[in-house]
Amino acid sequence: VTALRFLSFDKGYYILVLTLSVALPNILRLMICILAIYIGYVLCGWVVFAPFTYKFASVGQTVDTLFAIINGDEILDTFMQVTSSNRLLSFFSKIYFYSFIILFIYVVLSVMISLIGEAMIVAQSAVRTGMGHWLVDGDVFPELSLGWSREEGEPDDPPQPSRQDISASQNRL
């Protein structure tokens, strides 16, 4: 929390902190939903492809293989090892890998990028309107609180300088 508070003094980092605080709940919800689908792909791959390649021999190796496929590493090698002379297995492996790649590389990453982009827009508009502290303190979105709180009796908005204060400070310059 102290590091986040330190970063909030710079406007660029403050927008980053706000973006992460706004996006984090939605990203966590998305990851929980996607984890269920990922576990389904892991179990299906382990059951179906374990007899044909060492990359799916155990649940742990299946998790590693699918994670490598998400990162674009061993797509062709894994696909070539799994496809065999059996037409049914070859057809199933194509559906399995194509759907996995489309779902996780294109859909999930695009949704995650859009969630972060939307949070960035919210953070920038909050900073522009002077309501950024409300996002971080949890007044506007209580579920986004980073643990910062205002002291008792502290006003919601900092006092704005009057025209006399501004002209007096300009005259001193």
Side-chain angles (χ1 to χ4, degrees), residues 50-62:
F52 302 103
T53 180
Y54 69 93
K55 292 184 177 189
F56 292 91
S58 69
V59 174
Q61 287 175 322
T62 305

Side-chain angles (χ1 to χ4, degrees), residues 5 19 25-26 37 42 45 49 66 74 85 99 103 111 116 121 127 132 135 148:
R5 191 170 193 124
T19 300
N26 292 330
I37 297 170
V42 167
F49 301 126
L66 292 179
E74 300 179 6
S85 59
S99 65
L103 180 67
V111 169
I116 293 171
I121 292 169
V127 168
L135 286 177
W148 302 355

Side-chain angles (χ1 to χ4, degrees), residues 28-49:
L28 290 177
R29 283 186 211 113
L30 176 69
M31 294 302 288
I32 289 170
C33 293
I34 293 303
L35 185 63
I37 297 170
Y38 188 77
I39 290 172
Y41 270 96
V42 167
L43 294 176
C44 179
W46 174 55
V47 168
V48 174
F49 301 126

Side-chain angles (χ1 to χ4, degrees), residues 145-158:
S145 177
L146 294 175
W148 302 355
S149 62
R150 285 195 280 291
E151 298 296 323
E152 189 67 34
E154 187 178 337
D156 289 340
D157 290 324

Side-chain angles (χ1 to χ4, degrees), residues 7-158:
L7 291 175
S8 68
F9 289 114
D10 183 29
K11 184 178 180 181
Y13 288 125
Y14 186 63
I15 291 174
L16 177 66
V17 169
L18 285 177
T19 300
L20 293 176
S21 66
V22 170
L24 190 62
N26 292 330
I27 289 177
L28 290 177
R29 283 186 211 113
L30 176 69
M31 294 302 288
I32 289 170
C33 293
I34 293 303
L35 185 63
I37 297 170
Y38 188 77
I39 290 172
Y41 270 96
V42 167
L43 294 176
C44 179
W46 174 55
V47 168
V48 174
F49 301 126
F52 302 103
T53 180
Y54 69 93
K55 292 184 177 189
F56 292 91
S58 69
V59 174
Q61 287 175 322
T62 305
V63 168
D64 294 342
T65 301
L66 292 179
F67 184 74
I69 289 173
I70 289 174
N71 290 316
D73 287 344
E74 300 179 6
I75 296 174
L76 184 61
D77 294 337
T78 306
F79 187 73
M80 295 308 269
Q81 284 183 4
V82 171
T83 55
S84 66
S85 59
N86 186 347
R87 294 181 116 187
L88 183 61
L89 182 65
S90 178
F91 180 72
F92 179 78
S93 66
K94 286 180 184 180
I95 291 174
Y96 177 82
F97 284 114
Y98 290 162
S99 65
F100 181 79
I101 290 169
I102 289 170
L103 180 67
F104 281 92
I105 293 179
Y106 299 122
V107 176
V108 172
L109 291 179
S110 296
V111 169
M112 215 173 273
I113 289 170
S114 68
L115 287 175
I116 293 171
E118 182 182 338
M120 181 87 166
I121 292 169
V122 169
Q124 286 175 338
S125 67
V127 168
R128 206 173 313 122
T129 59
M131 296 174 61
H133 67 282
W134 285 8
L135 286 177
V136 175
D137 291 341
D139 290 344
V140 174
F141 302 110
E143 68 272 8
L144 303 179
S145 177
L146 294 175
W148 302 355
S149 62
R150 285 195 280 291
E151 298 296 323
E152 189 67 34
E154 187 178 337
D156 289 340
D157 290 324

